[in-house]
Amino acid sequence: MANEEMDTKSEQILNEKWDLCLSNMLIKSGIGLSVGIVASALLFKKKSWPIAMSTGFGIGVAYAECQRSFNPTAIPGIKIIKPSSS
């Protein structure tokens, strides 16, 4: 019974991380799309490349945050030190 509860907790944590990553990607790509549309209309004479570039930046930022969420030890400059046994 206790083993089943631990599995459920770890599955819930994993599901919460995936939900956060997917919602973060939707929000950041939407913001990038909006910024790209405004920049395209105001600055670049209605070209399409600012829209694609800013949407890609949003997706890239969301991907990096998701990667940090799933693997916090992969952050450059972070060193995990085990506590001493004494």
Side-chain angles (χ1 to χ4, degrees):
M1 179 88 175
N3 192 17
E4 291 176 9
E5 290 176 5
M6 289 180 64
D7 290 341
T8 304
K9 287 185 180 181
S10 65
E11 289 173 1
Q12 286 176 345
I13 292 170
L14 186 61
N15 287 336
E16 288 173 5
K17 285 184 179 184
W18 272 111
D19 289 343
L20 181 66
C21 287
L22 291 175
S23 65
N24 196 12
M25 188 209 47
L26 286 173
I27 290 169
K28 295 203 189 264
S29 63
I31 291 171
L33 179 69
S34 303
V35 168
I37 290 171
V38 170
S40 175
L42 296 178
L43 300 174
F44 298 106
K45 298 180 183 179
K46 298 184 181 177
K47 303 282 184 187
S48 62
W49 66 266
I51 299 170
M53 188 174 76
S54 60
T55 304
F57 282 155
I59 292 172
V61 169
Y63 177 79
E65 288 180 9
C66 188
Q67 188 177 14
R68 279 189 228 113
S69 172
F70 280 107
N71 190 6
T73 60
I75 301 172
I78 299 294
K79 185 176 181 181
I80 306 295
I81 300 173
K82 293 183 181 179
S84 62
S85 61
S86 51

